[in-house]
Amino acid sequence: MGTKDVKPTRSELIELKKKIKLSQSGHKLLKMKRDGLILEFFEILNKAKGVRNELDDAYDNATEKIGIAEAVEGRMVIKSTALALKDGPEISLESHNIMGVVVPKIEASSVHKPINKRGYGILGTSSYIDETVDSYEILVDKIILAAEIETTMKRLLDDIEKTKRRVNALEFKVIPEMQEAMDFIRFRLDEMERENTFRLKRIKA
């Protein structure tokens, strides 16, 4: 808002005061939101580190188990077991709200099943196969949890950046420009009042 575009009137001064007050209130609320989102982000970040470590461990374990099973049982047995597995995981995507940011909530069922619910013949397979299937079911569980957490973190980061930009725009541009315009109006009104006073004195004289 440049001073050239400002009308030096009392009504404009009153309007500017209202706008500044509203902007300051909005600035305060946005700062509170930004700070709250940052706290939420770091809380989830700590959780994400743990989940990422668990995911890495689950992946290493699953890779090791399938390597042993393949060496003992052969690739064909593993493939036929994989084909015999029934009911893949059922995944539903919901959402919840963190301080105005919509983040995903991934619900998964039938991922980690009891051995008798997997669909392949228990008697026809060895413990190596059972352990491999078990390790991969755990791995899928961890992948689903990691996907939810990392997507949540990304959305929170995006909203933190957006909120920071709005806070900075209000703090360093919008509010100072309005205050500058208000000071200009006050100066011009005072100037006009002095001119009127001087004019009246001359008329009286």
Side-chain angles (χ1 to χ4, degrees):
M1 180 184 285
T3 52
K4 286 187 290 184
D5 305 320
V6 177
K7 294 174 186 173
T9 61
R10 296 202 180 277
S11 59
E12 186 74 13
L13 184 64
I14 292 163
E15 196 60 35
L16 264 174
K17 281 180 182 175
K18 285 181 189 172
K19 284 179 181 176
I20 289 170
K21 194 175 178 182
L22 192 65
S23 296
Q24 286 170 335
S25 174
H27 176 257
K28 188 180 175 183
L29 288 171
L30 283 170
K31 276 181 81 173
M32 285 168 64
K33 181 185 176 181
R34 179 200 62 192
D35 295 344
L37 286 172
I38 289 169
L39 284 173
E40 285 284 347
F41 176 80
F42 280 110
E43 198 174 305
I44 293 166
L45 180 62
N46 289 330
K47 189 178 175 185
K49 286 175 185 172
V51 170
R52 175 54 72 175
N53 290 335
E54 288 172 17
L55 176 57
D56 290 342
D57 291 343
Y59 176 78
D60 291 342
N61 185 50
T63 305
E64 183 186 326
K65 295 291 183 189
I66 200 168
I68 295 167
E70 192 175 330
V72 174
E73 300 288 341
R75 189 168 288 185
M76 286 306 296
V77 174
I78 291 170
K79 281 187 177 179
S80 62
T81 304
L83 291 169
L85 290 170
K86 62 179 182 181
D87 300 333
E90 293 172 12
I91 295 172
S92 63
L93 187 62
E94 296 174 5
S95 61
H96 66 286
N97 197 307
I98 299 177
M99 299 189 74
V101 184
V102 178
V103 297
K105 178 73 179 167
I106 303 172
E107 295 289 343
S109 58
S110 305
V111 178
H112 198 192
K113 306 184 199 74
I115 193 167
N116 61 328
K117 299 283 186 185
R118 286 175 178 156
Y120 61 83
I122 302 168
L123 298 174
T125 57
S126 69
S127 61
Y128 298 109
I129 295 292
D130 297 335
E131 286 174 12
T132 300
V133 174
D134 190 64
S135 67
Y136 270 89
E137 287 177 348
I138 291 168
L139 177 60
V140 170
D141 256 336
K142 300 299 178 189
I143 288 169
I144 290 165
L145 184 57
E148 180 185 314
I149 289 173
E150 288 181 15
T151 305
T152 297
M153 284 174 63
K154 186 182 182 304
R155 290 198 182 170
L156 283 175
L157 261 181
D158 288 346
D159 215 74
I160 287 167
E161 283 305 313
K162 197 189 301 175
T163 307
K164 274 170 72 178
R165 283 196 298 271
R166 290 169 71 189
V167 166
N168 289 341
L170 282 168
E171 189 171 339
F172 299 111
K173 190 175 191 302
V174 177
I175 294 171
E177 282 183 359
M178 285 195 292
Q179 284 173 332
E180 187 187 341
M182 190 169 71
D183 291 341
F184 170 75
I185 291 172
R186 280 179 175 151
F187 172 76
R188 285 293 294 128
L189 288 172
D190 287 346
E191 201 174 51
M192 285 157 70
E193 198 172 323
R194 281 196 301 271
E195 284 171 3
N196 285 336
T197 305
F198 180 69
R199 196 178 297 115
L200 284 168
K201 281 180 179 177
R202 282 186 67 184
I203 290 166
K204 282 179 182 177

